[in-house]
Amino acid sequence: MDPKAERFRALHVMGDPLILFNAWDAGSAKAVAEAGAKAIATGSWSVAAAQGYADGEAMPLDLALANIARIAEAVDLPVTIDFERGYAEAPARIADNARAAAEAGAIGCNFEDGLADGAIRPAADQAARIAAIREATADRGFFINARTDLFLHSAPETHEGLVGEALERGSAYAEAGAGGLFVPGLSDEGLIERICRDSTLPVNIMIWPGRTPPLRRLAELGVARISHAGGPWRIAMNALKEVARAAHAMEG
C-alpha cells in the first residue's frame, strides 16, 4: 500500500474533519500545501476552467493525467483527484483509467454517480464501477470517495426524502470498496447529522457559501471531510481580475 494513501485514509475522522481547500494545478497545490494543508484535492470544475475547458470530462483524459502527475510531483502530500465519472462507461475502462491516475501519483479520487443529463446512475451499476476501480488499485490502497449526486440535482425541500436512498447507496458503495461517502448539495444541519450518524462510510460535505453550516458546526455534526470545491478558484480569479482592473485603470 502507498504510505501516502494510508496516511490519507487515517485523516478521515468523524468530528475532526479533513479540510480540503481544492487546487487546480501544480502552482495552486504548492500554495495550498505551504498554507498548512494535510492533503491536496482537485476539483474538476476548476481544473477544467484553468485549462480553458468546460466541466464534465470535456478536458482530455491525457491532459487530466498530466496535470495529476505535475501536482503529485510538486507537493509531498497525498493527492486525491476529482475523477468525475471515470472518463468511460464500461467498468473495465474505468478501472484502467483509475490505474493510470494512481500511476500518475494520485492516492485516491472522487467518483460520481450523477450522469451528464442530471440523472443518477442505478446504484448497482455504480457499485460495479467502484468494485472495478478497487480491484485495479487494491495494491496501492487507492481511496475511492463515492459521490452521490442525489442532493446536488434536487431541490432542498426534497432532501429529507432522499436521505434513505443516499444511505443505501453509501452501504452498496462501501461493500464495493469505497472509502468515503460524498454528498454535495446537502446543507441542512439535521440531515447532515443523520447521514453522518447512520453512514457506514466517513462523510464528505461540500462547502456551499451561504448554505452550509460553518466548519466548526460541520465538525460537531460528525463530518469527516470538508471540500471547498470550486470556491478557491473563484477567489483566486476574482482577486486576479481586481488587480488587473486596477493596473489597466492606470493606462489612461
Side-chain angles (χ1 to χ4, degrees), residues 94 168 239:
I94 292 170
E168 290 174 1

Side-chain angles (χ1 to χ4, degrees), residues 102-133:
E103 290 173 351
I107 54 76
C109 72
N110 287 348
F111 184 55
E112 63 199 56
D113 60 12
L115 300 174
D117 62 2
I120 306 296
R121 192 183 301 278
D125 291 350
Q126 184 69 358
R129 288 162 170 77
I130 290 171
I133 295 174

